[in-house]
Amino acid sequence: MVGFVTTTSASRPVGELLRQWRERRRMSQMDLAIQADISTRHLSFVETGRSKPSRDMILHLAEELDLPLRERNHLLLAGGFAPVFAETPLSSPEMASVREALGQVLRGHEPHPAVVVDQRWNLVDRNSATGLMLRGVAPELLEPPVNVLRLSLHPKGMAQRILNLGEWRAHLLHRLRRQISLTADPDLAALWRELDDYPCDQPEPEIGAGPGQIVIPLRLRRGYRELVFFSTMTTFGTPLDITVAELAVEAYFPANPETAAYLQHQHHPD
């Protein structure tokens, strides 16, 4: 089992947190100093606590390190400043335009399946076409909060109908590992360990570009048919709210004409 090192910002100096994030991004002090257009000596003083960074400097370094908005707030708090990025509940009136945009994307993608997920892969919304992917799933896996990765790989979930389970599982776990590396989220690390313990009776290949390979498909059994999909992830551009920044739309597209025809017929049976 692969282990993950995650961090917490509680009671840690801002300089120490910045150093940890720089090392996590595999950047030297010189790399970050050049990218941020500051002196290496100044950055060293900030990281060791000999110099107290300003609010603008913290935000500047966080931008250069490409940190999630939630982590930028943590850095500001550690530096003695108030957070600047709001975390507005999606159900609030202020988020009406966001909800409408998500609804348009979901409806517009039909008859193909699409879901909205948060940073930890919890289901936020879905379109009606996802129903065909949920046939046979144990009811308890559909009790909120629904985690779509758990739903996919759990033995009582979609896994029992995924024909290329080993390949799809390797893809999802690889994607989750990469997300953990970028975010240091301990909840995602716990989710990875849970998913990694699920049984799989198929070989799990190393994720990499094989001969002629373009995308990793999802091959789903539907009665006597095999439906084949590829997926894309879409996020909001330049979000300034944590809730919005952590939302993503995963849209599934038919990977062959047979799947496309089946979905179209399901949507317009006449």
Side-chain angles (χ1 to χ4, degrees), residues 144-161:
V146 177
N147 185 278
V148 299
L149 296 187
R150 182 180 295 115
L151 191 64
S152 295
L153 300 183
H154 195 283
K156 295 182 179 180
M158 289 172 54
Q160 57 192 318
R161 294 174 51 224

Side-chain angles (χ1 to χ4, degrees), residues 92-134:
S92 67
E94 297 91 332
M95 300 288 268
S97 60
V98 174
R99 294 194 303 272
E100 177 58 28
L102 292 172
Q104 287 182 18
V105 171
L106 292 176
R107 292 189 299 272
H109 194 63
E110 292 177 347
H112 308 145
V115 296
V116 180
V117 295
D118 64 18
Q119 182 191 28
R120 296 188 174 109
W121 295 94
N122 293 314
L123 182 68
V124 175
D125 201 358
R126 64 183 180 93
N127 66 10
S128 61
T130 58
L132 68 88
M133 306 179 81
L134 302 179

Side-chain angles (χ1 to χ4, degrees), residues 30-53:
M30 181 174 292
D31 291 336
L32 180 56
I34 291 173
Q35 189 168 308
D37 196 25
I38 62 175
S39 71
T40 305
R41 185 183 184 200
H42 186 192
L43 178 58
S44 177
F45 279 17
V46 167
E47 289 187 354
T48 59
R50 294 178 66 183
S51 176
K52 177 178 170 58

